[in-house]
Amino acid sequence: MNARRSGIAQLLFWALAIGICAFGLGRAGSQPTTAATVSRIQFCITAIEAHSNTPNLISETLIEGPPGTDFNLNLKSKGFVLTTRFLTDLLPDQRVEMRAALETRRYLGQSDHNLPLYEIDTQRQSVLVGTDEAAVLFPFGQEGDSDSFKIVITQNPIERTAKRPMPLEIKLVKPAPNGEIEVTARKIPHRFVARLALVRNGQTLAQGESSCRLEAVQEIKLIPAGAAPETLHQLPVAVALTVSDFTRSRPQDTVGIHFDVLQSDPAGAVKSLVRNGAGVGTLGEPLKYDLTNFLSLPNTGTCELIFTIRLAEGESSD
Amino acid sequence: MPCEWTEKVSLYLDDELSSEEATAVRVHVGTCLPCRTAYNDFVRLRAELKSTPAPPAPMVQYAALHAILGEPAPPWWRRRLTIPAPVFALTVLLALVGGYVLPRITNRTAPTTSQTRQPAMPQAPSKPEPVIDFSRYDHGGRATLVVVKKTVLPATGARS
């Protein structure tokens, strides 16, 4: 009886051991073993001070990620803060379009009530940078060459061979002595498709569709449908839409939008029906706004403007 | 002919009688021959038991046994371990599962998200770095972003 039990235990053991080995081999076999060529983009961000025409490297950071990698660059010093956000897109001719949002905050002194006074400047700039060029950011302005401080950004498209997706990487080659300069990077989708529909009581009056880029205003004309009243033909409606943000979320990602609803008359004059509309919705799901009180349409009922934002072809949320 | 007091004699020697009973037994032993004989036998037996040496400890017995048999105990690395087959199977199974799962857990330490933050700053050096005084460059100008050819940039040793 004992010998029989021992035999069963051994049989069970070997069956489990072989099963596990087979499972492990199966998993190993399912891994991609063939290497593929992966397009990557490198950014080199160097902070340089030129004192009496003598350049001095203060900090250097390398970023490598998939095309479309964005980065933030912040500078903090006594009485001055620079916050920047760079959205980058690699163009077919290997140039990189950098859309920069710059904000500076400079301490000016104190008010009569002993409160701090700051000069805040916000601006947006867009530049095209080739592989033989560099984007140069002068945080304090470009005044004279002898004593200046600048941040130089160069780009370099490369191709790597990899068996699996490569992560975004930041290499801090030389940090700023006291952490005055901070660099962060991320990769999110930049291109979207927006579909808009003006709906009254469930019936589509006008609709329009267009591709959109992240943080770029896109005007979308709403083309009147067959059921549209004559007013919409005479006074067409358009929407100035900006996909302002993309956030990875669960169970689904979300997008933020800003928009104005515009209406033009036959003479070409444009007036805003809705200004500074905004909202956050689930990617691919309708986002509805009640415009009943903003549109002067006959036979009024509930009139809604419905946004549906989805990723453009080729974009991935991962 | 045994006396009915014989059992009390044994109890007397064990000091389990009251003082009255003990006095009675002592008087009885002086007058009863069988009880006196039993008393003497009990006393002699106790003396013999006390003089007998205690048995050796188990380990001593084990060593003595091996000394008699002439087989020294094997060193620890040659000893055989006897465990039940299910225990052995479970041990090997856990080892296999551990060997399979552990590398995959450690592989997950690589960054998988597409958002990466700048690495932590290196440990502070023993000699403090000089603070950069950016204010000497601040003349109140507006931040500017321009594009230039790389050739016009000063050589700083950077990788650009």
Side-chain angles (χ1 to χ4, degrees):
Chain A
M1 192 67 180
N2 284 337
R4 189 177 175 185
R5 280 186 184 168
S6 177
I8 291 172
Q10 286 196 24
L11 188 65
L12 183 66
F13 161 67
W14 284 114
L16 283 171
I18 291 170
I20 287 171
C21 290
F23 180 68
L25 288 173
R27 284 289 301 270
S30 66
Q31 300 282 341
T33 54
T34 56
T37 303
V38 181
S39 294
R40 306 274 284 174
I41 183 91
Q42 285 182 332
F43 294 104
C44 180
I45 301 171
T46 54
I48 303 167
E49 65 172 349
H51 190 52
S52 301
N53 284 327
T54 304
N56 177 33
L57 180 66
I58 294 177
S59 74
E60 182 177 9
T61 306
L62 288 176
I63 300 173
E64 182 181 322
T69 294
D70 306 324
F71 57 90
N72 295 347
L73 197 162
N74 301 327
L75 167 70
K76 292 179 183 175
S77 71
K78 187 179 179 183
F80 183 85
V81 176
L82 167 72
T83 306
T84 69
R85 187 174 68 258
F86 285 82
L87 300 181
T88 74
D89 288 292
L90 179 63
L91 305 181
D93 61 359
Q94 300 291 287
R95 289 189 300 171
V96 169
E97 181 184 7
M98 294 183 185
R99 291 181 286 153
L102 312 176
E103 182 179 300
T104 56
R105 181 183 173 95
R106 182 181 276 121
Y107 179 71
L108 286 184
Q110 287 191 314
S111 70
D112 295 338
H113 301 287
N114 290 328
L115 296 174
L117 294 174
Y118 291 95
E119 175 195 68
I120 299 175
D121 180 30
T122 303
Q123 56 177 313
R124 287 180 179 270
Q125 293 190 32
S126 180
V127 294
L128 288 173
V129 183
T131 53
D132 60 339
E133 295 173 320
V136 182
L137 174 63
F138 294 93
F140 305 104
Q142 191 177 11
E143 292 184 2
D145 290 333
S146 58
D147 280 4
S148 66
F149 172 72
K150 56 192 167 193
I151 298 173
V152 179
I153 305 164
T154 58
Q155 59 96 354
N156 182 31
I158 59 171
E159 294 200 336
R160 292 201 183 278
T161 303
K163 292 182 179 180
R164 60 186 66 187
M166 298 178 68
L168 187 60
E169 296 173 353
I170 297 183
K171 186 176 181 183
L172 201 60
V173 181
K174 182 182 180 186
N178 292 284
E180 296 95 341
I181 299 170
E182 182 190 60
V183 177
T184 59
R186 67 174 184 171
K187 172 71 181 79
I188 59 172
H190 284 183
R191 295 180 299 114
F192 303 88
V193 174
R195 182 179 178 81
L196 279 63
L198 193 61
V199 178
R200 184 175 64 184
N201 298 331
Q203 192 175 25
T204 302
L205 302 181
Q207 60 185 5
E209 183 175 302
S210 176
S211 59
C212 301
R213 297 174 69 197
L214 186 69
E215 294 193 19
V217 182
Q218 179 66 44
E219 186 172 308
I220 303 173
K221 291 179 179 174
L222 300 184
I223 309 299
E230 190 61 29
T231 311
L232 280 181
H233 289 278
Q234 294 172 351
L235 305 171
V237 173
V239 175
L241 173 69
T242 304
V243 178
S244 55
D245 196 16
F246 173 89
T247 305
R248 287 194 176 85
S249 184
R250 292 292 177 270
Q252 286 181 294
D253 301 325
T254 60
V255 286
I257 60 170
H258 284 89
F259 64 92
D260 294 336
V261 180
L262 311 170
Q263 191 170 42
S264 55
D265 60 19
V270 178
K271 69 172 183 179
S272 293
L273 300 178
V274 176
R275 292 179 66 90
N276 297 323
V280 175
T282 302
L283 191 68
E285 298 291 329
L287 190 58
K288 299 179 181 179
Y289 291 84
D290 189 351
L291 298 189
T292 307
N293 297 328
F294 299 92
L295 292 172
S296 302
L297 298 176
N299 303 323
T300 53
T302 302
C303 194
E304 291 181 316
L305 180 59
I306 303 175
F307 297 82
T308 307
I309 314 293
R310 65 178 195 274
L311 293 179
E313 193 175 337
E315 286 284 7
S316 170
S317 60
D318 294 328
Chain B
M1 179 112 182
C3 178
E4 57 182 3
W5 283 67
T6 304
E7 187 179 350
K8 287 193 175 182
V9 171
S10 175
L11 294 173
Y12 168 76
L13 286 173
D14 291 336
D15 200 16
E16 293 181 356
L17 297 178
S18 63
S19 58
E20 292 82 8
E21 288 178 320
T23 304
V25 169
R26 268 199 307 273
V27 171
H28 177 77
V29 168
T31 58
C32 177
L33 183 59
C35 287
R36 190 163 57 243
T37 304
Y39 176 85
N40 291 331
D41 289 344
F42 287 146
V43 170
R44 190 176 62 252
L45 180 62
R46 292 186 176 217
E48 287 178 358
L49 286 174
K50 283 184 180 177
S51 63
T52 303
M59 288 305 294
V60 177
Q61 288 183 355
Y62 182 77
L65 184 62
H66 275 288
I68 293 167
L69 295 175
E71 292 179 4
W76 64 269
W77 62 86
R78 294 188 63 184
R79 288 180 191 168
R80 292 185 177 182
L81 191 65
T82 305
I83 58 171
V87 175
F88 174 72
L90 187 63
T91 306
V92 176
L93 191 64
L94 287 174
L96 285 173
V97 171
Y100 178 80
V101 171
L102 200 60
R104 280 151 182 80
I105 293 174
T106 52
N107 281 341
R108 289 179 189 172
T109 57
T112 55
T113 61
S114 57
Q115 181 165 350
T116 305
R117 194 167 173 77
Q118 181 175 341
M121 295 293 291
Q123 288 188 345
S126 55
K127 185 180 177 183
E129 292 273 358
V131 177
I132 300 174
D133 182 15
F134 288 103
S135 61
R136 66 185 177 203
Y137 305 113
D138 191 359
H139 305 295
R142 193 181 194 202
T144 311
L145 182 66
V146 298
V147 177
V148 299
K149 291 287 183 185
K150 284 182 181 177
T151 51
V152 304
L153 294 172
T156 58
R159 304 182 181 196
S160 58

